[in-house]
Amino acid sequence: MRKKEEDGNSKRTKIVTSILIGGVAAFVCCMVILAVLAALVTGGKVGERNLYQLALAICVAAGFVGGRMAVKRAGSCALPVGACAGLLSAALLVIVGFLCIETMELGYGALIVLVCGLAGGAAAGLLGGKRKKKKRK
């Protein structure tokens, strides 16, 4: 009985650490790519016309990368692990936005960023994970 409880706790710990590592990795990835994008816009290489849509696409891609990393580390529960990692990265983006921008308010913009991170992580969860082997007859 004691052995199964320890296995359950270690599995939960592995899943939680996978989500944390994937979420932070996605956040860092997103911040680096957004900094490069900001430098390109400042240098005049990229126009400002579709900047918001491009930033959301970067958020989705970063959520996918972090979700994929979390799913590979966790090994099980692929969809929830990937979705939580993507959501964590997007939540970190929103929190940093609130801390850095005084005029930012909780509205549709923050909600869209959260949904984009969730979508990227969920896509990684759908594509990732260990597949069950088919039994031969």
Side-chain angles (χ1 to χ4, degrees):
M1 183 71 179
R2 185 77 172 146
K3 181 73 173 169
K4 287 185 180 182
E5 288 177 10
E6 290 176 5
D7 289 342
N9 287 338
S10 66
K11 186 176 179 181
R12 277 188 228 117
T13 304
K14 185 176 181 181
I15 288 173
V16 169
T17 55
S18 298
I19 291 170
L20 291 174
I21 290 171
V24 170
F27 171 73
V28 170
C29 177
C30 189
M31 291 301 289
V32 168
I33 295 173
L34 287 174
V36 169
L37 180 65
L40 289 174
V41 169
T42 303
K45 305 282 184 187
V46 176
E48 297 179 26
R49 187 172 181 204
N50 296 325
L51 195 59
Y52 184 67
Q53 289 84 1
L54 191 56
L56 291 178
I58 290 170
C59 182
V60 171
F64 181 82
V65 168
R68 186 82 175 137
M69 178 185 261
V71 166
K72 286 289 186 184
R73 284 184 58 89
S76 63
C77 304
L79 182 61
V81 168
C84 286
L87 189 62
L88 176 64
S89 69
L92 288 172
L93 281 173
V94 170
I95 290 170
V96 167
F98 279 128
L99 293 176
C100 294
I101 303 171
E102 294 175 3
T103 60
M104 188 173 173
E105 57 187 38
L106 186 60
Y108 289 119
L111 182 64
I112 290 172
V113 169
L114 290 172
V115 169
C116 285
L118 179 68
L126 286 174
L127 295 177
K130 295 182 179 178
R131 298 176 191 244
K132 295 180 182 178
K133 294 182 180 179
K134 294 182 180 178
K135 294 182 181 179
R136 288 188 168 182
K137 291 184 178 182

